[in-house]
Amino acid sequence: MHLSSNAVADRVRRLVRRGVIRRFTIDVDQAALGRDLQAVVDVLIDGDAQEFTSRALERDEITWMSYITGRVDFRMTWPARAPTDSTSCSRS
């Protein structure tokens, strides 16, 4: 496109204001941080689901969480260095 950085920044700001660009994201290479495993955990709540959700959202290591129906209430994922990392997070 051969645009200056100022021209690109102005264009991006306009696209954000118009709602064309809704968010900016990053893609972290967890393996580069020594986290070669992806823990996938199903959670059955025996208590207050709202309290569980609030506490889970405070955990930086949880990268994805979804409320689902069926035998379990939530499914969540987080990167881990070893299988034992998933049990320490799930018990907190």
Side-chain angles (χ1 to χ4, degrees), residues 9 17 22 36-37 45 48 52 56 78 81 86 89-90:
R17 276 196 303 271
R22 295 186 296 186
D36 296 331
L37 299 175
I45 302 296
D48 185 3
F52 171 82
W78 60 83
R81 287 183 173 85
S86 63
C89 183
S90 62

Side-chain angles (χ1 to χ4, degrees), residues 68-86:
I68 58 178
T69 60
R71 293 184 158 182
V72 297
D73 298 312
F74 291 91
R75 178 164 289 152
M76 58 180 61
T77 65
W78 60 83
R81 287 183 173 85
T84 54
D85 286 352
S86 63

Side-chain angles (χ1 to χ4, degrees), residues 8-48:
V8 171
D10 288 340
R11 182 174 285 191
V12 169
R13 278 192 286 276
R14 284 194 308 273
L15 291 170
V16 169
R17 276 196 303 271
R18 288 180 36 209
V20 174
I21 297 175
R22 295 186 296 186
R23 66 184 174 134
F24 297 90
T25 64
I26 60 170
D27 183 12
V28 176
D29 182 357
Q30 296 293 340
L33 298 173
R35 300 174 183 148
D36 296 331
L37 299 175
Q38 185 72 15
V40 178
V41 179
D42 289 338
V43 179
L44 178 61
I45 302 296
D46 184 26
D48 185 3

Side-chain angles (χ1 to χ4, degrees), residues 43-61:
V43 179
L44 178 61
I45 302 296
D46 184 26
D48 185 3
Q50 190 66 36
E51 180 184 348
F52 171 82
T53 302
S54 297
R55 292 184 66 192
L57 291 174
E58 293 172 358
R59 303 295 300 254
D60 291 336
E61 63 269 42

